[in-house]
Amino acid sequence: MDVDRLTTVIEDFNTIFIRLPSVRRFNFSTLSVLHTLNRKGPLRLTELLPTEQLKQPALTSLVAKLEQDGLLERRPDPSDGRASLISLTSAGQEIVHSRHAHRVAKLTALVDQLTPEERALLAGSVDVLHRLTELAEDSP
């Protein structure tokens, strides 16, 4: 297997995919925080920090801005009253869901241009890509 080519293809696909037109535009860090909280549920700031590639002061500032904008909320952590859990508000969830739906529509239009054989190959790749994602999340 040509892992170098696979890497390049994934990088190129990601470049195109993240730029698919969307309903509302946000910077990468904002979208990353919103999508992480959507997938992983309420998290402490310290749990969010490793996934976001930001230093703590920058993430703290971003979370405060998103909270002020009504996209995130903080609640006391039931397991430790001194800590807070950060979660999406309904407005934050709506952004994530509308962006996803818009991307599904755009990607569907692209997939529809593939041959039936190409669509079958792509369908068979979904589980493998999902497994690679799981392996990446589990590795230190």
Side-chain angles (χ1 to χ4, degrees), residues 45 59 106 124:
L45 188 68
L59 184 58
K106 294 292 185 177

Short mmCIF file of all heavy atoms in Angstrom, two decimals, residues 45 59 106 124:
data_model
loop_
_atom_site.label_atom_id
_atom_site.label_comp_id
_atom_site.label_asym_id
_atom_site.label_seq_id
_atom_site.Cartn_x
_atom_site.Cartn_y
_atom_site.Cartn_z
N LEU A 45 -12.82 22.21 30.57
CA LEU A 45 -11.87 22.93 29.73
C LEU A 45 -10.57 22.12 29.60
O LEU A 45 -10.00 22.02 28.51
CB LEU A 45 -11.59 24.31 30.31
CG LEU A 45 -10.75 25.23 29.43
CD1 LEU A 45 -11.51 25.64 28.18
CD2 LEU A 45 -10.35 26.48 30.20
N LEU A 59 -7.75 29.14 24.53
CA LEU A 59 -8.97 28.34 24.58
C LEU A 59 -9.96 28.93 25.59
O LEU A 59 -11.15 29.00 25.33
CB LEU A 59 -8.67 26.88 24.92
CG LEU A 59 -9.87 25.94 24.92
CD1 LEU A 59 -10.58 25.94 23.57
CD2 LEU A 59 -9.44 24.53 25.29
N LYS A 106 -23.87 18.85 -0.34
CA LYS A 106 -22.80 19.14 -1.30
C LYS A 106 -22.04 17.88 -1.67
O LYS A 106 -21.72 17.66 -2.84
CB LYS A 106 -21.84 20.19 -0.73
CG LYS A 106 -22.46 21.55 -0.54
CD LYS A 106 -22.78 22.17 -1.88
CE LYS A 106 -23.28 23.58 -1.70
NZ LYS A 106 -23.53 24.23 -2.97
N GLY A 124 -17.43 1.04 0.38
CA GLY A 124 -16.64 0.04 1.09
C GLY A 124 -15.51 0.65 1.92
O GLY A 124 -15.00 0.01 2.84
#
